Amino acid sequence: MSSTNRGRSRNISDYYITPEEEINKFLDKFLGEHSFERHCRILDPCAGGDSIHPMAYPNALEKHGFTNITTIDIRPDSRALIQEDYLHYQIIGHYDLIITNPPFHIAEEVVRKAFKDIAKNGTIIMLLRLNFMGSQNRKGFWLEFPPDEIYIHSKRMCFTGDGKIDSIEYAHFVWHQEKMNESDKKTRIVWL
């Protein structure tokens, strides 16, 4: 999800390559605070990748020792194991961790579906625009799904590979399923 190249036609399926170095900054901090079995079931439902680029999240996760990663992407040229539309794909079982950079135009729907596909003690992580928190249209969504943690990237990202940074800020939003029903839930902010 990128706001790069506004005024030009968007990439097919809103596909922009997530900078792996920014994923690693997040994972280093996040995994330093939370423990996960390296063989837990992980899903990247918007995995991306193509003939030139690896799938960013699976690649970063593998470098952090994770091995059980299922990948889905709607694009037929993706390196994902499953070429399907995640929003219409029937998941078998539940995942311990769902992590991705969803296309901006369907980000809310991806998060909502992830809550159906996550294990009862699982974690959902989405890279979203920080301004995704704004909008009257999403107010109900945030009241229903307040995040537990927001890891704000202090450096603007380049999603196009040409060195040009994006025009807005991004954050990894984290939901821990076991905390979803806490009545006094508060969101913790972390700066990267």
Side-chain angles (χ1 to χ4, degrees):
M1 145 186 8
S2 172
S3 67
T4 304
N5 297 327
R6 288 174 291 154
R8 298 181 190 169
S9 57
R10 309 246 340 138
N11 285 350
I12 295 172
S13 300
D14 215 8
Y15 173 53
Y16 293 90
I17 300 151
T18 309
E20 195 173 322
E21 63 273 10
E22 293 301 316
I23 296 171
N24 285 323
K25 281 182 195 175
F26 163 72
L27 287 174
D28 289 344
K29 181 73 171 169
F30 180 77
L31 294 172
E33 298 172 345
H34 302 281
S35 63
F36 282 86
E37 292 292 324
R38 292 308 191 244
H39 298 292
C40 68
R41 287 189 76 209
I42 299 173
L43 173 66
D44 182 345
C46 306
D50 56 37
S51 61
I52 300 169
H53 306 95
M55 296 176 290
Y57 281 95
N59 202 42
L61 287 163
E62 286 172 0
K63 288 177 181 173
H64 281 81
F66 291 95
T67 58
N68 189 5
I69 306 167
T70 301
T71 55
I72 301 173
D73 199 282
I74 194 170
R75 294 177 16 264
D77 67 330
S78 170
R79 292 185 181 204
L81 176 67
I82 302 164
Q83 271 86 33
E84 295 283 345
D85 181 345
Y86 171 64
L87 297 178
H88 298 102
Y89 187 74
Q90 182 65 41
I91 296 294
I92 298 171
H94 292 91
Y95 287 87
D96 303 303
L97 175 62
I98 298 176
I99 183 170
T100 200
N101 173 3
F104 182 75
H105 69 286
I106 60 168
E108 181 179 334
E109 291 88 346
V110 171
V111 175
R112 287 182 180 278
K113 183 164 183 345
F115 271 98
K116 295 176 184 174
D117 297 330
I118 197 71
K120 65 180 178 178
N121 292 321
T123 298
I124 298 169
I125 301 170
M126 300 282 163
L127 179 66
L128 301 169
R129 294 176 181 179
L130 194 53
N131 68 0
F132 192 76
M133 295 189 77
S135 171
Q136 285 296 311
N137 292 338
R138 285 190 290 273
K139 181 179 179 184
F141 168 80
W142 290 117
L143 292 174
E144 185 178 358
F145 299 105
D148 295 292
E149 300 165 314
I150 300 174
Y151 289 76
I152 300 172
H153 290 266
S154 57
K155 178 183 174 188
R156 288 185 173 174
M157 297 185 198
C158 172
F159 290 89
T160 56
D162 60 5
K164 296 179 181 175
I165 60 170
D166 205 351
S167 62
I168 59 175
E169 289 73 25
Y170 289 84
H172 277 94
F173 289 70
V174 178
W175 294 266
H176 300 288
Q177 179 68 343
E178 77 273 4
K179 295 182 179 180
M180 283 309 296
N181 295 321
E182 291 181 359
S183 59
D184 62 342
K185 185 172 180 177
K186 297 193 176 21
T187 301
R188 184 173 77 101
I189 304 293
V190 180
W191 283 270
L192 298 174

